[in-house]
Amino acid sequence: DAGVIQSPRHEVTEMGQEVTLRCKPISGHDYLFWYRQTMMRGLELLIYFNNNVPIDDSGMPEDRFSAKMPNASFSTLKIQPSEPRDSAVYFCASSFGWGFSTGELFFGEGSRLTVL
Amino acid sequence: GIQVEQSPPDLILQEGANSTLRCNFSDSVNNLQWFHQNPWGQLINLFYIPSGTKQNGRLSATTVATERYSLLYISSSQTTDSGVYFCAVNPGAGSYQLTFGKGTKLSVIP
């Protein structure tokens, strides 16, 4: 099976521009997570979905960030307008179930965002 | 929230050496995973191990949930083992967030 697929792998943009990151979870997985990784803060959970429904977006830093999951095989994370402090690696991850003995998390390769 | 501490923070090994990485956590967990982030930034699953022992080739892991720690053993290390090893836990009880430790940075030199 293909793993979690993210695009683009690298994005360089200018401050104020809209950025859209895309994710295709592993087929059959019902949980999808968006994480952000920076040197200063490590890995942070931004938002997660269960069966395409956003469950907890308390990690989304500001209203400039939004995420959608229109179907079981696709999710987007959008930043509008982007700022230099948004520069980070954004990871998408998926799992089947969540709880004891289930919920093994698989990560995509990440999207490295640089905002100039 | 739950605290995750990993040790050592940095480790340099000669190729062929063995090592043990430790993860301590402050509360009971129902999910614990070990990941390897390679020098290209990819986060790779190593083990899903909320309790017990598992082995995969040169790597093995043990979690003693009652004592709130997990160990990752790397035997006969290779240069390709270099990178950062993360332990991540979830306390359950309605939490869906994996809390990551700060990682152990491993450098294996030829």
Side-chain angles (χ1 to χ4, degrees):
Chain A
D1 278 341
V4 176
I5 299 172
Q6 292 187 244
S7 64
R9 292 291 313 280
H10 302 274
E11 173 98 3
V12 180
T13 191
E14 292 190 346
M15 183 172 64
Q17 297 299 305
E18 178 179 293
V19 173
T20 300
L21 307 178
R22 298 172 176 79
C23 175
K24 176 179 170 55
I26 293 172
S27 177
H29 281 191
D30 55 350
Y31 283 85
L32 184 140
F33 302 80
W34 283 99
Y35 279 84
R36 178 172 70 175
Q37 185 178 35
T38 61
M39 289 293 291
M40 290 292 291
R41 301 172 69 92
L43 277 154
E44 303 174 278
L45 177 65
L46 300 178
I47 185 172
Y48 75 90
F49 296 82
N50 177 218
N51 291 323
N52 314 338
V53 177
I55 303 300
D56 186 351
D57 66 354
S58 60
M60 298 284 259
E62 300 173 31
D63 291 344
R64 299 183 294 105
F65 286 69
S66 63
K68 294 181 180 179
M69 192 166 184
N71 58 61
S73 59
F74 184 66
S75 177
T76 60
L77 178 68
K78 187 174 291 188
I79 308 172
Q80 167 62 20
S82 58
E83 295 183 3
R85 58 190 167 135
D86 302 330
S87 298
V89 180
Y90 291 81
F91 286 99
C92 176
S94 70
S95 71
F96 176 66
W98 192 257
F100 197 85
S101 81
T102 66
E104 186 172 5
L105 201 60
F106 293 87
F107 282 83
E109 294 187 327
S111 294
R112 182 176 295 274
L113 173 65
T114 303
V115 183
L116 304 174
Chain B
I2 193 167
Q3 304 296 313
V4 181
E5 292 185 3
Q6 293 187 243
S7 59
D10 295 279
L11 185 59
I12 300 175
L13 294 177
Q14 200 78 38
E15 197 169 25
N18 302 329
S19 62
T20 301
L21 281 56
R22 186 176 180 100
C23 172
N24 292 332
F25 41 95
S26 61
D27 206 345
S28 59
V29 299
N30 73 351
N31 183 339
L32 187 148
Q33 290 186 243
W34 283 96
F35 296 92
H36 175 216
Q37 188 163 37
N38 64 23
W40 296 269
Q42 294 175 304
L43 272 165
I44 299 164
N45 279 41
L46 296 177
F47 295 101
Y48 173 76
I49 186 166
S51 65
T53 297
K54 290 186 178 179
Q55 180 151 9
N56 184 3
R58 296 181 296 104
L59 273 60
S60 64
T62 295
T63 297
V64 184
T66 53
E67 298 187 21
R68 300 182 183 171
Y69 73 88
S70 184
L71 302 174
L72 177 69
Y73 305 96
I74 304 174
S75 65
S76 304
S77 58
Q78 301 175 358
T79 56
T80 52
D81 295 330
S82 296
V84 182
Y85 289 80
F86 289 103
C87 169
V89 304
N90 174 268
S95 171
Y96 289 84
Q97 174 157 196
L98 269 185
T99 299
F100 283 77
K102 295 186 184 303
T104 292
K105 184 176 180 180
L106 174 65
S107 301
V108 181
I109 55 177

